[in-house]
Structures are given as structure tokens and as C-alpha cells.
Amino acid sequence: MNQPLRRIAWITDPHFDHAKLDVWQSWVAKLLELDPDSILITGDLSEGDDVAYQLRCLAESLDRPIHFVLGNHDFYGKSIASTRRDLIALCRDVPQLTYLTDHPAMPLNASTVLIGDDGWGDATQGDYAGSNVRLNDFQLIEDFRTSDPDGWQSLLIAEGKAAAERLTDKLNNLSDEITQVLIATHVPPFREACWYEGKTTDDNWAPFFVCGQVGQALRKAAEQAPNRKHVVLCGHTHHDGIAQIADNLVVHTGFSRYGSLEIESMLTIEPDSLDLSRPAICFP
């Protein structure tokens, strides 16, 4: 558990509650065959209490470090705060699990760290007032279901602000010896990284599919540390793409499909490089 992590399997938006058991078993078998040092999941594991169940199953089946952040679906049926409390407690009970939102930077080697935060579609991008998009989040997450719709935008902005502040604290605490930082989040932090069928988002969807405040924080961090490479992994849109935001800031958005399970990419971490091998491996 304390050895440098050289090979990481990246998973995003698996939605395990939509996958049949035989698909899950084939997917786990392939992960064991690939034999990564650790697993990284960028949100939307399942819904409600099934999230904890699935994480326990993964920890038992894979028996290696599993680092994760949460997506919006993971909060369905509960409140945001209670979901996070429950999973923080789970990680204390299961040593293989690390909830990155609640954790400081994780060393991968002497020059590379992993940090993460859930992020949220924070209503700071696009046209929230004019959008006709209404996600299931508003009916299935207690914070929204039990509040006045007129206050939803403020709740979204607050979640994005909190995510940006947590990531900023982690980035500010990195030593000068860290030349590479891998950043895991669920929601794309830039419009340029919010992909759908090969195109990026419009003003209608951007309020709910981009965490603009996290994007601002990452852009500032990249400007302040020009010699440090920042590589962001995210999901949420279920469509893949790469966005080069700055010379030292790139965002990889992963692919997902309901009912299927993917191994989005294998990451190879070296002291002076961080490489992703694609395309995705899909089951079925």
C-alpha cells in the first residue's frame, strides 16, 4: 500500500447498478489480468447505499488501493453531507479505499501526486436562467428536493465554490519538488472539456455539466506553477475527449455507457512523465 504507484487503471461513470453480474465479473477479471497498482474512479459508481456496497465488493475482489471521487448519481436518495460522511466512515473501515475529496495529496512517486474532488455542475457557465435542463438531481438529492427551486442555483454555486477551495488548498500545499499532479474530479472543469458526440457543450447544458469554479482554480494553479504538469481526469458526460487548456494543463474526459463497464485508460506514471493508453476496454 505504501509503494510507488506506477500503473493506474482509470474508471469513470461505471453506474454499477445498471450492469449485470456477469458483466461485472468479466470486468473485474480483466482488471486483475491487467494487474494495475491501483484503481482510480472518477464518480458515478452507483446510487445511494449501493455506492458503499460496490466499493466494498471492489476492495475485496481487487485487493489493491482504490482511489475515488463521487459523482452526482452517488448522492441520489440521500443528502450531500450524509453521503460524504458515510463514505468517509467506510474508508476508515476499509484500508484499500481512499475518498480523495476528503484526503490530502497522495504521493505516486517522488515527483508526482494524486489529488481529487467531486466537483459539481455549478451554474457558473452557460445560461442557467434560460436553460430548460432539469436533472434528476433536483428530485433525487435531498438538498434540492427539500428546498425551494429558486435557491437551487445558489446551492450549485456553493458546491462548486467548496470544491474549488478544497482543490486550491491541496495544490497550494504541494512542495516545489512535485513536478506532476494528477487531478481526479467528476464534472469537467472547463467547457472545452465537456464533450458530447465530438462537440463541446452549449449554454443550455453548461450550467449542469461544467464546474467553472474548479476550472478557474486549476487555471490559476497552472499559471502559478508553470513548470508543473497538471493532468485532469473527469467524466460525467459519458463522452470522451481531450482538452489542452494550457501548456501545462490538460483535461481527459472519459467515456461511459449505461449497462456496460469500461476500463477507460491505463495510466503509466514515471518521475518525469504521465501517460494514458487508450482506447477504452468495454464489457460487453
Side-chain angles (χ1 to χ4, degrees), residues 22 94 121 167 244 282:
D22 61 333
V94 182
L167 283 174
Q244 188 76 47
C282 304

Side-chain angles (χ1 to χ4, degrees), residues 30-266:
K30 184 62 177 180
L31 278 171
L32 291 171
E33 179 186 331
L34 291 169
D35 194 26
D37 296 318
S38 70
I39 313 296
L40 174 60
I41 307 176
T42 50
D44 275 6
L45 291 90
S46 188
E47 296 181 6
D49 290 334
D50 191 53
V51 177
Y53 171 76
Q54 296 291 349
L55 284 167
R56 283 188 180 274
C57 289
L58 290 176
E60 293 172 2
S61 300
L62 297 171
D63 193 25
R64 66 201 67 208
I66 298 169
H67 306 103
F68 67 94
V69 296
L70 298 177
N72 52 311
H73 281 247
D74 297 316
F75 297 95
Y76 284 7
K78 304 173 72 172
S79 71
I80 296 170
S82 66
T83 298
R84 287 180 173 146
R85 281 197 303 269
D86 290 348
L87 291 174
I88 290 168
L90 174 69
C91 291
R92 290 173 181 160
D93 187 48
V94 182
Q96 294 96 323
L97 298 176
T98 301
Y99 178 28
L100 293 171
T101 299
D102 184 57
H103 204 279
M106 300 280 301
L108 300 180
N109 58 39
S111 59
T112 311
V113 298
L114 167 65
I115 65 173
D117 198 280
D118 306 333
W120 211 279
D122 66 354
T124 65
Q125 303 293 302
D127 182 13
Y128 179 88
S131 175
N132 59 14
V133 174
R134 287 297 177 265
L135 301 179
N136 289 335
D137 300 15
F138 298 127
Q139 299 302 320
L140 298 178
I141 299 174
E142 287 184 13
D143 305 67
F144 299 102
R145 182 177 57 80
T146 59
S147 63
D148 189 323
D150 289 341
W152 288 349
Q153 184 177 16
S154 295
L155 289 174
L156 295 173
I157 292 171
E159 283 299 322
K161 181 175 185 289
E165 289 175 347
R166 288 189 294 262
L167 283 174
T168 296
D169 286 344
K170 295 171 188 179
L171 288 162
N172 287 344
N173 284 326
L174 297 180
S175 69
D176 293 339
E177 287 72 30
I178 300 302
T179 58
Q180 301 182 128
V181 54
L182 182 63
I183 302 155
T185 190
H186 180 63
V187 177
F190 303 97
R191 290 180 65 142
E192 300 95 319
C194 187
W195 297 97
Y196 183 78
E197 295 184 345
K199 299 179 180 179
T200 53
T201 189
D202 60 18
D203 284 346
N204 194 46
W205 291 92
F208 312 101
F209 278 77
V210 180
C211 192
Q213 293 171 96
V214 164
Q216 291 173 1
L218 295 178
R219 195 184 296 273
K220 183 177 180 180
E223 291 171 353
Q224 292 178 338
N227 296 321
R228 179 179 292 152
K229 183 187 300 183
H230 301 76
V231 179
V232 182
L233 305 183
C234 64
H236 192 43
T237 72
H238 289 210
H239 289 255
D240 59 325
I242 302 172
Q244 188 76 47
I245 306 301
D247 289 343
N248 64 336
L249 174 58
V250 63
V251 183
H252 297 264
T253 308
F255 173 82
S256 179
R257 180 178 57 195
Y258 285 111
S260 172
L261 293 177
E262 284 75 40
I263 301 170
E264 169 56 37
S265 296
M266 291 295 297

